[in-house]
């Protein structure tokens, strides 16, 4: 009973201490903190918060970007969800998201694990693996147009060694176009590799060595120690990979332009087309959809990978 009272007094005293007013020095420190935060807050409000509010409000209007917006309620949303190109773009986004989250990220993690072992020629592999990210997306798309060309593309030439009669206009025929666009990014996970490799290098070597001394195999150390300790970097990589697919534009616009039909249509292509047609209200509906998808992905991956919890 006495111990309970003592504990209760301790809790109360701590609560009272926490309610004590700030000293002059603490107030001065808080003033400097807010002063240094002010530029970042100003930039956020000007370039992020205000545009987001504009997107939300004008998505319920017809607006040409010049005249005042006119309220139309849910008409823009009704039009969008009955639009064939939008429905196809959402299906494509679903497939691309799955491909981004599983084989794309897995390949990047695999390369990171190999480089972590510091194999012979590892620095050369790292340099070569960086090349696609040094080249702009636009230039990379043009390169792939030549690689997948039916007449002189290297891919069809290799296939014709085994199948002389093979013909495929990869970017212009269904179902080849979807996979041609996908291959322009699927196996280039250098960002994933760098993020995960940095996390692997931060893990104390003593942990893996202790597990091996206890009899754990290399696979067991990888599965039960390294990968769990890298869950935050892997989760971050998945978020980056999927959101890149949400905003994917150049690779499609410079190859298939969303065709054939709507086989490779994306939200970004619809968004840009609506802007070019000066239909800003309808374009902002696409912006709202992309914003909601991005937030949903962030919340889902945070939950699945427990990214707010410490790994140690």
């Amino acid at each position: 009973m006495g111990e309970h009272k003592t504990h209760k007094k301790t809790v109360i005293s701590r609560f009272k201490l926490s309610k004590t007013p700030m000293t002059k020095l603490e107030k001065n420190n808080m003033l400097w903190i807010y002063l240094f935060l002010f530029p970042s807050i100003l930039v956020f409000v000007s370039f992020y918060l205000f545009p987001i509010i504009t997107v939300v409000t004008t998505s319920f209007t017809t607006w040409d970007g010049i005249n005042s917006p006119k309220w139309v309620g849910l008409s823009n949303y009704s039009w969008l969800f009955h639009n064939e190109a939008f429905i196809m773009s959402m299906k494509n986004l679903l497939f691309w998201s799955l491909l981004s989250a599983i084989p794309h990220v897995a390949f990047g993690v695999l390369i990171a694990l190999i480089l972590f072992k510091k194999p012979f020629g590892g620095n050369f592999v790292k340099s070569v693996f960086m090349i696609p990210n040094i080249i702009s997306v636009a230039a990379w798309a043009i390169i792939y147009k030549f690689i997948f060309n039916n007449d002189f593309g290297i891919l069809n030439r290799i296939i014709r060694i085994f199948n002389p009669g093979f013909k495929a206009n990869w970017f212009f025929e269904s179902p080849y176009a979807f996979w041609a666009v996908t291959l322009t990014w699927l196996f280039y996970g250098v960002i994933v590799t760098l993020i995960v490799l940095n996390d692997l290098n931060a893990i104390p070597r003593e942990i893996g060595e202790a597990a091996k001394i206890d009899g754990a195999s290399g696979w067991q150390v990888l599965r039960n120690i390294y990968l769990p300790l890298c869950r935050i970097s892997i989760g971050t990589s998945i978020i980056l990979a999927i959101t890149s697919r949400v905003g994917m534009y150049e690779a499609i616009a410079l190859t298939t332009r969303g065709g054939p039909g709507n086989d490779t249509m994306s939200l970004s292509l619809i968004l840009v087309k609506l802007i070019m047609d000066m239909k800003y209200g309808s374009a902002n509906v696409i912006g709202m959809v992309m914003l909601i998808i991005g937030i949903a992905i962030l919340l889902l991956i945070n939950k699945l990978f427990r990214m707010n919890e410490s790994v140690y």
Side-chain angles (χ1 to χ4, degrees):
M1 186 71 179
E3 291 179 0
H4 177 71
K5 288 182 178 179
T6 304
H7 176 70
K8 187 175 180 180
K9 287 179 181 178
T10 304
V11 172
I12 293 171
S13 63
R14 286 178 180 174
F15 177 76
K16 287 180 178 178
L17 284 172
S18 66
K19 299 292 286 185
T20 56
M22 288 191 297
T23 64
K24 186 176 181 180
L25 178 61
E26 289 173 334
K27 288 181 179 178
N28 288 335
N29 287 339
M30 290 300 295
L31 179 64
W32 281 106
I33 289 170
Y34 286 122
L35 185 63
F36 279 106
L37 282 175
F38 178 74
S40 298
I41 295 170
L42 183 63
V43 169
F44 174 77
V45 171
S46 302
F47 295 97
Y48 290 94
L49 184 60
F50 181 71
I52 288 172
I53 293 172
T54 303
V55 167
V56 174
T57 54
T58 56
S59 67
F60 298 97
T61 66
T62 55
W63 183 35
D64 59 6
I66 301 173
N67 299 305
S68 299
K70 294 181 180 179
W71 183 266
V72 293
L74 295 174
S75 298
N76 289 336
Y77 289 88
S78 177
W79 165 81
L80 183 68
F81 289 115
H82 289 89
N83 185 279
E84 186 178 337
F86 171 74
I87 294 170
M88 192 64 190
S89 68
M90 291 299 291
K91 290 179 180 178
N92 290 338
L93 179 58
L94 176 61
F95 285 121
W96 279 328
S97 297
L98 292 173
L99 291 170
S100 295
I102 303 173
H104 176 75
V105 171
F107 186 72
V109 172
L110 177 62
I111 299 298
L113 292 170
I114 293 171
L115 294 175
F116 176 65
K117 296 295 183 181
K118 293 180 169 58
F120 175 76
N123 289 331
F124 174 76
V125 172
K126 193 186 299 184
S127 301
V128 172
F129 201 47
M130 277 293 296
I131 290 175
N133 282 76
I134 296 171
I135 301 172
S136 69
V137 176
W140 196 242
I142 299 300
I143 290 170
Y144 261 88
K145 285 191 76 172
F146 287 101
I147 292 174
F148 286 128
N149 186 276
N150 179 55
D151 298 320
F152 53 81
I154 188 172
L155 179 62
N156 280 6
R157 286 190 177 185
I158 293 172
I159 294 173
R160 283 170 189 151
I161 295 173
F162 307 98
N163 183 5
F166 181 81
K167 290 183 180 181
N169 291 302
W170 288 87
F171 284 118
F172 308 104
E173 292 181 16
S174 181
Y176 301 116
F178 177 87
W179 294 106
V181 169
T182 302
L183 289 172
T184 61
W185 56 264
L186 185 60
F187 295 108
Y188 299 102
V190 66
I191 301 299
V192 177
T193 297
L194 292 177
I195 292 173
V196 176
L197 183 60
N198 183 64
D199 218 8
L200 287 168
N201 288 327
I203 297 173
R205 296 297 177 100
E206 294 81 5
I207 297 176
E209 291 171 0
K212 289 179 180 178
I213 292 172
D214 289 338
S217 64
W219 167 248
Q220 289 173 326
V221 172
L222 172 65
R223 186 185 63 187
N224 299 318
I225 296 177
Y226 287 143
L227 288 179
L229 290 178
C230 289
R231 75 168 190 272
I232 292 178
S233 60
I234 294 173
T236 302
S237 299
I238 292 174
I239 291 172
L240 293 174
I242 297 177
T243 51
S244 294
R245 305 288 73 80
V246 175
M248 186 166 60
Y249 175 75
E250 297 99 322
I252 303 174
L254 294 172
T255 53
T256 65
R257 298 182 182 179
N262 291 318
D263 279 12
T264 57
M265 186 58 66
S266 72
L267 295 175
S268 296
L269 283 175
I270 302 173
L271 176 67
V272 171
K273 186 179 184 305
L274 289 170
I275 291 173
M276 296 297 289
D277 293 339
M278 301 188 73
K279 297 179 180 179
Y280 290 94
S282 300
N284 285 341
V285 177
I286 299 289
M288 278 293 297
V289 172
M290 295 171 74
L291 179 64
I292 292 169
I293 291 172
I295 293 172
I297 290 167
L298 185 64
L299 294 175
L300 178 62
I301 300 302
N302 272 336
K303 183 71 173 178
L304 290 177
F305 285 81
R306 296 179 287 119
M307 295 179 65
N308 294 324
E309 300 178 17
S310 175
V311 294
Y312 293 102

